[in-house]
Amino acid sequence: MKKLLVLLLLPVLLGGCTATFTNLTPRQQPRNANHLYPVEVAFRSRQQSLRWETIDPKVLVGSESYPLRPVPLVRNRWEGMIPVPPGTNLIHYRYRFDFLYNAMGGPQPDSALSPTYSLQIVD
């Protein structure tokens, strides 16, 4: 009986620490002269030990990372710019949020990585 109870509670316990990314960037954007394109994401976490003031958000394009900054007056949303080389019509990117969380013995580092998103540049 105890083993069954543990198995039933396990998904609830593991699901409580998950992060949710909501990509707010349009899937298509018109090509522009400076080759920089805005991206925006909402981040939510049910991890109660997360230290929100330590979040270091980035957008990853290939092996490069670009910083995100908080959106003024809106909680849990970040924005930034990513470069797309001239002549490139499709680029893939992900969001990565590094942060500290409270743990036994002091704060510990952790991170959350979003799924891969695509941005199509149209002429």
Side-chain angles (χ1 to χ4, degrees):
M1 182 68 168
K2 288 182 183 181
K3 289 181 183 181
L4 180 61
L5 183 60
V6 169
L7 287 175
L8 290 174
L9 289 176
L10 190 59
V12 173
L13 294 173
L14 292 177
C17 296
T18 60
T20 303
F21 293 88
T22 304
N23 187 25
L24 303 170
T25 305
R27 293 182 185 182
Q28 293 184 347
Q29 294 187 35
R31 189 171 306 280
N32 64 40
N34 67 4
H35 306 291
L36 292 174
Y37 298 88
V39 293
E40 187 173 348
V41 64
F43 175 75
R44 292 187 189 98
S45 176
R46 293 175 49 187
Q47 183 175 349
Q48 301 227 351
S49 61
L50 190 147
R51 293 179 153 199
W52 286 93
E53 71 279 3
T54 67
I55 288 180
D56 180 23
K58 298 174 188 67
V59 59
L60 308 174
V61 180
S63 61
E64 299 295 319
S65 71
Y66 303 95
L68 296 172
R69 63 186 172 279
V71 173
L73 304 175
V74 183
R75 267 186 68 158
N76 302 340
R77 283 175 58 175
W78 287 265
E79 63 187 359
M81 302 292 274
I82 58 174
V84 177
T88 301
N89 296 326
L90 184 68
I91 196 158
H92 303 287
Y93 62 96
R94 300 175 87 166
Y95 299 105
R96 179 182 170 137
F97 280 58
D98 296 320
F99 53 86
L100 296 176
Y101 69 94
N102 294 325
M104 297 289 278
Q108 298 293 315
D110 200 357
S111 65
L113 190 61
S114 77
T116 300
Y117 302 105
S118 298
L119 173 62
Q120 183 177 14
I121 306 302
V122 293
D123 293 314

